[in-house]
Amino acid sequence: MMKLSRLALGLSLLAPASLFASPLVLAQTLSGTVTNAAGKPLANATVEIEALKRVTSTNEQGEFIFSDVKDGDYTLHIFASGFAHLHEEAKVQSNTAGGTNFVLARSAIEVIDVHATPMHLSVMESATPVSVLSGETLRRQQAATLGDTLEKLPGVQSNFHGNVASTPIIRGLSGPRVLITQNGLDVSDVSRVGPDHAVASEASTANQIEVLRGPATLFFGSGAIGGVVNVVDKRVPTSTETRGEFLLETQTVNDQKLGTFNVTTGVDNIAFYADGFYRDSNDYETPMAPDIDDPDGEHVVENSNEESHGFTLGTSYLFDQGYVGVAVERFEREYGVPGHSHGDDSSVFADLEQTKYQLLGEYSFTNDFLQSVHFRAGYTDYEHAEVESGFVGTTFSNKTEELRVELLHKPMAGWRGGVSLHYKGADVSAQGEEAFTPPSEMEMFAIALMEERHFGDFLVQLGARAERVTLDASSVLLPELDAHDNDEEHEEDEHDHDHDEHEGSEFVRQFAVDQEFTPMSLSAGVVYTINDSYNVGISLSRSERAPSASELLSFGPHIGTRTYEIGALFDLSEEGEFVLSQTPIDLETANNIDLTFRKTQGDVGFVFNAFYNQVDNYYFQEETGLFAESGHDHDHGEEEHSEDEHSDELPVYLFGSADAILHGFELQVAWQTTDNLKLDFFADYVKARLKDGGALPRTSPMRVGTHVAYTLDNIRADLNITHFAKQDDISTFETETDGYTLVDASITYDIPMGDVDLSVYLSGENLTDEEARVHTSFLKDVAPRPGRNFAFGVRGYF
């Protein structure tokens, strides 16, 4: 709880409608005024009675009022942009009247509430490390992919897959360990299977994007053992107020054209929402040195173009105790797959289509036990086809059903919290020549308990979750694999002959797999408020994860990673053949500790996080030293491979497990030097290694960065400088990646036009045209970051 000087709570009594009215039926009001430390009223500050889930805003004089409040003890939660959050205990009783001032202290770091969790969390008040991207910052940093949008946040980097399919990496973890959700429900695409699969979510229509760093299994399940990214929008509206925004933008590096809008309105108790976007871009230019054989040629990353569009429609019914609403979204995207063009110069592109339905609601109770119920339900129909020369080669599909119900009780002996019930079922399949994972069905049931309580200056947060996860696959294939050591000599004609002969005599075994897991997760956290400006937190968690279908059942070429993947259900025998493994499939278990130190108020603020994560039975791909036919002649754009007699072969990697340790830190410092000038600094670092020695592959390099923002009347200027250190802490099959520095800048001019606030902006990225290769990318040698890029756009708010 934020500590301020003791403030008396103002209560006023409404006059009785009649002299004969009984005192027992008098309506009581809870009122007050919100100001800053200089006594200036704060308009549009949010005031919430947490136990009643009732929210109001202050007027131009900083005043607020709640009517019809029953006798009892309540906690007020008051916050405004640019100020620290205030929590004050309030007692409502019939013989108290008056209104008193509430003072908010300035905060250099923006404090934003998180929607991803049923209990109140914010950047500066939780034992769990949280980052939120919203408002102007989100619009300034939004990119075509989710990973590239978030990569300026401390502890978050991108696996950068050619500007078309980048996903976020949190503290060195990604893929099946990082869950991506939309309004708290699984986004339900196949982006966690491979880096060449785009996330089916759009940042340009989002209201805010939340990142929970470290295990978030308590709220989301074992798929969130490394963290959660939650994309929040208003598709199920909770207000009938008419408001919205639009954006038009063009970029130079890839000739991108972007248009987007969202609008909320309503009549009486019925609210409506709509959004839409359209994006079209060509292959992007790189800052690479001219080709000796073609000095005048264009230097672009082939097959990095895209065309995407989508729309969302939603409606809801609002009532005194909550709301209920539905929304439907259609999302379509066609994008090239860099590094996946074939020898006949034909390109390969992905055709992604998704239809998503969501039902969201909340109901506040008036009884003596339950406070409220929150429910989320969703159904997603996803399909992703890889198309070559007009023909569909491989099709991925994912049909997901999900239901989350959270029952929160009223404070009991000072404890606040509740129970979460969670169900998710997914039917995932891949058909085609590059379908490296067989069709499977996953089903998960879970129950979780979450509680918190203040003990003076200490906030204690506890939680536990139990799951039952089943994985069924009726047609798992174990083919004979003609794998060999790369040192073996093969004449090209003999190799082709042997391959044809092998295809004619290939023997494939088929069997069914039925796996059941019971992951358990426990967490405990404490936040100690040292004084008005400082707090320190510690969070301990033990989280278990069931391995994914691709980690268990894969057996085939995965062109997105340019490897031949074989799952942990198989093993390599002493005779050099792949057989069913006799080793039991264990749960992956993360034992994580987070330490946080924050300065929450004043012109200077900071957040420092240090973490240590020991992961037992960490599933990862081990190099076998073998090579196998890819089944296709892939040209990855590297000349040395085009003449290599093994260019049609992929290295074979076998999923295994071993104990791993990841540790590091994140630092964010903000200094509001004047009312017009603000400086931000951040740094992050992670070291990921096997417990018995050896680095984990594609570990994020250390970064340091600064952001300078200057505002004057209607003009705002921003400058970002980020340095990525050289990454030479590598695994045996990796190469080092040089460090680089990126310089970005933008200038925005606001033009008030009646009911519409218009902003015109010009921004530049990679202004020094630095050649930058991303160590975490599978395509770092093929697809560097884009070269110098300028964007011009117009934003409007109404």
Side-chain angles (χ1 to χ4, degrees):
M1 178 188 298
M2 301 296 179
K3 293 181 62 182
L4 298 176
S5 58
R6 178 53 55 190
L7 301 172
L9 175 65
L11 297 173
S12 62
L13 302 178
L14 292 179
S18 166
L19 294 176
F20 302 101
S22 167
L24 296 177
V25 298
L26 292 179
Q28 300 178 66
T29 62
L30 173 59
S31 63
T33 303
V34 180
T35 68
N36 62 15
K40 181 180 178 180
L42 294 179
N44 297 318
T46 301
V47 184
E48 177 187 13
I49 304 178
E50 292 184 342
L52 302 179
K53 292 296 180 180
R54 293 182 58 182
V55 180
T56 189
S57 298
T58 57
N59 58 22
E60 293 297 325
Q61 289 73 45
E63 300 167 341
F64 70 90
I65 187 169
F66 292 97
S67 60
D68 299 321
V69 181
K70 293 183 178 181
D71 287 357
D73 296 327
Y74 301 96
T75 299
L76 286 183
H77 177 204
I78 307 174
F79 56 95
S81 178
F83 293 87
H85 288 211
L86 172 65
H87 294 266
E88 280 293 332
E89 299 297 326
K91 180 180 289 292
V92 177
Q93 53 190 21
S94 58
N95 60 355
T96 307
T100 305
N101 187 48
F102 294 85
V103 179
L104 296 187
R106 190 172 184 173
S107 176
I109 295 180
E110 188 73 10
V111 184
I112 305 173
D113 278 338
V114 176
H115 296 267
T117 62
M119 299 170 63
H120 173 253
L121 285 181
S122 75
V123 175
M124 305 297 277
E125 300 169 288
S126 170
T128 304
V130 183
S131 295
V132 180
L133 196 61
S134 67
E136 290 296 321
T137 306
L138 172 59
R139 293 294 171 251
R140 191 172 62 252
Q141 296 182 13
Q142 71 186 30
T145 65
L146 188 62
D148 298 341
T149 297
L150 298 174
E151 70 168 343
K152 286 186 173 67
L153 291 177
V156 184
Q157 296 199 33
S158 169
N159 69 357
F160 190 76
H161 200 82
N163 222 35
V164 294
S166 307
T167 55
I169 300 172
I170 302 178
R171 292 179 168 180
L173 299 177
S174 60
R177 297 177 179 89
V178 172
L179 182 64
I180 299 174
T181 63
Q182 186 103 31
N183 298 315
L185 295 172
D186 195 335
V187 73
S188 301
D189 52 27
V190 293
S191 61
R192 305 173 80 187
V193 174
D196 55 329
H197 300 155
V199 178
S201 185
E202 177 61 30
S204 67
T205 57
N207 186 56
Q208 67 183 47
I209 304 177
E210 306 160 350
V211 178
L212 277 65
R213 302 193 298 274
T217 55
L218 182 64
F219 303 108
F220 294 95
S222 59
I225 199 170
V228 166
V229 174
N230 184 42
V231 181
V232 180
D233 56 33
K234 298 296 185 181
R235 65 181 57 195
V236 175
T238 57
S239 170
T240 58
E241 179 185 359
T242 299
R243 63 182 183 276
E245 62 178 300
F246 61 86
L247 167 70
L248 296 172
E249 181 184 276
T250 182
Q251 295 187 13
T252 60
V253 76
N254 56 359
D255 297 321
Q256 177 178 280
K257 306 296 186 294
L258 172 66
T260 179
F261 80 94
N262 66 74
V263 61
T264 301
T265 189
V267 178
D268 297 328
N269 287 13
I270 306 298
F272 301 97
Y273 173 86
D275 72 36
F277 77 96
Y278 176 82
R279 179 186 291 106
D280 181 74
S281 64
N282 297 325
D283 295 341
Y284 70 85
E285 300 174 358
T286 72
M288 295 175 62
D291 192 306
I292 297 177
D293 298 327
D294 186 15
D296 299 322
E298 294 185 3
H299 311 294
V300 300
V301 173
E302 300 289 344
N303 231 19
S304 62
N305 58 308
E306 73 149 310
E307 180 179 352
S308 56
H309 56 89
F311 69 88
T312 305
L313 297 175
T315 184
S316 59
Y317 176 71
L318 313 179
F319 47 93
D320 290 342
Q321 292 175 283
Y323 71 94
V324 61
V326 296
V328 58
E329 175 194 15
R330 179 66 177 177
F331 183 95
E332 297 183 12
R333 191 175 191 204
E334 288 187 3
Y335 62 96
V337 183
H340 199 164
S341 59
H342 296 302
D344 57 0
D345 293 329
S346 63
S347 62
V348 176
F349 69 91
D351 186 0
L352 185 162
E353 298 181 355
Q354 183 184 74
T355 303
K356 181 188 294 291
Y357 304 89
Q358 288 192 347
L359 169 67
L360 308 179
E362 180 178 323
Y363 184 85
S364 298
F365 294 94
T366 58
N367 61 42
D368 293 331
F369 179 71
L370 286 177
Q371 174 179 299
S372 62
V373 59
H374 308 252
F375 58 89
R376 300 181 178 94
Y379 174 76
T380 303
D381 187 355
Y382 171 96
E383 187 171 278
H384 166 139
E386 292 191 352
V387 183
E388 177 189 356
S389 301
F391 296 96
V392 176
T394 307
T395 300
F396 300 87
S397 68
N398 184 358
K399 293 180 172 60
T400 302
E401 304 162 344
E402 186 172 10
L403 173 66
R404 290 181 60 187
V405 179
E406 291 143 359
L407 295 166
L408 303 183
H409 62 75
K410 292 187 176 179
M412 301 173 57
W415 289 94
R416 298 174 60 250
V419 175
S420 174
L421 305 174
H422 193 184
Y423 166 79
K424 180 161 57 177
D427 185 352
V428 181
S429 66
Q431 303 292 335
E433 62 182 7
E434 294 175 6
F436 58 94
T437 302
S440 62
E441 295 182 4
M442 186 279 296
E443 195 169 52
M444 181 269 292
F445 294 90
I447 182 171
L449 175 67
M450 303 153 287
E451 296 289 338
E452 68 175 18
R453 181 182 174 182
H454 286 277
F455 294 89
D457 294 330
F458 292 87
L459 170 63
V460 178
Q461 298 174 325
L462 304 175
R465 180 183 174 105
E467 294 184 28
R468 176 182 176 271
V469 180
T470 59
L471 179 64
D472 297 327
S474 59
S475 183
V476 177
L477 304 180
L478 175 55
E480 284 189 356
L481 182 63
D482 183 18
H484 58 84
D485 192 296
N486 197 35
D487 293 334
E488 296 179 14
E489 294 294 334
H490 293 268
E491 293 296 332
E492 187 172 345
D493 57 344
E494 292 178 359
H495 178 75
D496 291 340
H497 172 75
D498 291 343
H499 179 56
D500 294 338
E501 183 180 41
H502 170 69
E503 287 182 344
S505 61
E506 185 176 8
F507 175 69
V508 179
R509 285 160 286 180
Q510 179 175 324
F511 52 94
V513 171
D514 183 359
Q515 294 280 336
E516 181 175 328
F517 305 94
T518 54
M520 302 284 293
S521 299
L522 300 170
S523 69
V526 178
V527 180
Y528 171 57
T529 302
I530 301 173
N531 54 36
D532 289 349
S533 298
Y534 295 89
N535 67 43
V536 61
I538 182 171
S539 176
L540 304 172
S541 64
R542 177 179 174 84
S543 306
E544 294 180 329
R545 181 180 75 92
S548 67
S550 59
E551 291 172 312
L552 285 182
L553 310 177
S554 295
F555 205 114
H558 187 179
I559 307 304
T561 61
R562 298 158 66 189
T563 61
Y564 198 103
E565 293 188 4
I566 298 178
L569 200 64
F570 309 100
D571 204 352
L572 184 62
S573 68
E574 295 181 357
E575 292 76 21
E577 297 181 353
F578 287 96
V579 297
L580 284 177
S581 174
Q582 302 302 311
T583 304
I585 302 299
D586 293 322
L587 290 169
E588 186 176 276
T589 304
N591 303 281
N592 190 81
I593 180 171
D594 259 288
L595 295 174
T596 303
F597 182 45
R598 308 180 183 99
K599 184 177 187 297
T600 62
Q601 299 182 15
D603 292 333
V604 177
F606 63 78
V607 179
F608 175 75
N609 298 304
F611 66 91
Y612 182 91
N613 190 7
Q614 177 176 316
V615 187
D616 299 332
N617 301 314
Y618 180 90
Y619 285 89
F620 69 105
Q621 292 175 308
E622 298 179 276
E623 186 180 24
T624 64
L626 301 176
F627 288 78
E629 291 292 329
S630 68
H632 228 115
D633 184 17
H634 293 279
D635 175 16
H636 299 300
E638 298 174 89
E639 289 186 8
E640 64 270 20
H641 286 290
S642 63
E643 299 176 356
D644 193 333
E645 62 187 34
H646 300 296
S647 62
D648 190 28
E649 297 176 344
L650 298 173
V652 178
Y653 285 88
L654 177 65
F655 273 100
S657 64
D659 295 345
I661 295 175
L662 299 94
H663 59 88
F665 70 86
E666 298 118 15
L667 173 65
Q668 179 184 5
V669 181
W671 179 22
Q672 190 75 52
T673 59
T674 67
D675 289 339
N676 303 105
L677 181 63
K678 184 178 180 182
L679 306 178
D680 291 277
F681 169 84
F682 85 93
D684 57 20
Y685 169 78
V686 59
K687 183 176 179 62
R689 59 186 174 86
L690 296 174
K691 191 174 182 179
D692 294 334
L696 290 175
R698 287 175 293 279
T699 298
S700 308
M702 182 176 178
R703 296 183 304 173
V704 294
T706 185
H707 171 228
V708 181
Y710 181 77
T711 58
L712 180 63
D713 297 328
N714 293 348
I715 297 178
R716 175 186 172 107
D718 293 271
L719 173 67
N720 285 90
I721 302 175
T722 307
H723 176 71
F724 292 74
K726 177 181 180 179
Q727 181 57 286
D728 53 10
D729 189 8
I730 57 177
S731 64
T732 55
F733 59 89
E734 286 186 290
T735 58
E736 296 181 357
T737 304
D738 292 335
Y740 54 90
T741 301
L742 298 179
V743 180
D744 306 329
S746 67
I747 185 167
T748 304
Y749 182 69
D750 297 329
I751 310 172
M753 299 180 64
D755 294 333
V756 178
D757 294 326
L758 201 65
S759 298
V760 180
Y761 64 91
L762 174 67
S763 65
E765 297 176 323
N766 194 7
L767 292 176
T768 59
D769 206 31
E770 177 113 352
E771 181 179 332
R773 300 187 181 272
V774 181
H775 182 76
T776 54
S777 173
F778 281 91
L779 300 179
K780 75 168 185 175
D781 296 325
V782 177
R785 289 182 183 269
R788 185 183 294 112
N789 178 38
F790 292 99
F792 174 76
V794 178
R795 281 194 299 264
Y797 301 90
F798 57 89

